[in-house]
Amino acid sequence: MATGNNLQGLINFAGNTLNSLIPLLIAFALVVFFWGLVQYIMSAGESHAQGRNVMIAGITALFVMVSIWGIIRLVQNTLGVGSGAALPPPQVELNH
């Protein structure tokens, strides 16, 4: 077996796993935001502040994840590299 194939397989596996986890993490942050909203609406006093803090944490997590995702897409489009496109390996020309 060639080590390049194993490394490429590992990179593909890691990429596919991360691509599967991103929507789940975004959904979890959205649930956290709405849970904080429910706490904020249903309670008063100390729990009111706790609900606000949970909402802020959910919105912050959503902002960070979507911003990083957008920056990666911007860099991909700028460099002309698609998410599924395979890059050719670098070639060295030997002049005799």
Side-chain angles (χ1 to χ4, degrees):
M1 281 195 205
T3 57
N5 290 338
N6 291 336
L7 180 61
Q8 187 176 16
L10 179 64
I11 290 171
N12 286 337
F13 175 74
N16 291 336
T17 303
L18 287 174
N19 285 337
S20 300
L21 286 177
I22 289 171
L24 293 174
L25 291 173
I26 290 174
F28 180 71
L30 194 60
V31 167
V32 168
F33 170 75
F34 281 118
W35 175 250
L37 182 64
V38 167
Q39 284 181 333
Y40 186 79
I41 291 172
M42 300 301 267
S43 62
E46 184 65 31
S47 294
H48 196 70
Q50 182 182 2
R52 185 184 73 229
N53 290 339
V54 171
M55 281 192 309
I56 290 172
I59 284 291
T60 303
L62 279 170
F63 176 78
V64 168
M65 286 187 285
V66 172
S67 296
I68 290 173
W69 199 6
I71 290 170
I72 289 172
R73 292 289 180 177
L74 179 69
V75 169
Q76 281 179 335
N77 290 337
T78 302
L79 298 177
V81 179
S83 60
L87 292 175
Q91 301 284 328
V92 177
E93 290 187 30
L94 298 176
N95 295 328
H96 296 343

